[in-house]
Amino acid sequence: MFISKKLCYKYALATFLLFGLQGIMSLGGGLTTAFPDFPAPIPYTAGRSFHLNISIMWPLFGMMGIVYYFFCSEASREIYSLRLISTQHIV
């Protein structure tokens, strides 16, 4: 197994966490809409914008992880710079 495939698990973890966070934010917004008197820790407008930003981020993290993961199998070689995978995950 290539080292870059092991490094791509960070992308998968970030994707799952962001997707779960998006679900929690949408649940909070739905509860605020259904029950207006329900005390919400985040205002609806802020939660909506946060939810929409996350809906852009998790597919991007997922696609970058997929490309890095399957590139090794298709090219039958390791990615040139393993530091690139780690650096792009932080940024």
Side-chain angles (χ1 to χ4, degrees), residues 34-45:
F35 305 108
D37 296 332
F38 187 73
I42 298 174
Y44 177 77
T45 54

Side-chain angles (χ1 to χ4, degrees), residues 50-72:
F50 193 66
H51 168 79
L52 291 175
N53 287 332
I54 291 175
S55 71
I56 294 169
M57 287 301 296
W58 74 260
L60 288 176
F61 270 109
M63 289 301 293
M64 287 180 6
I66 287 170
V67 168
Y68 285 141
Y69 187 84
F70 285 113
F71 177 79
C72 301

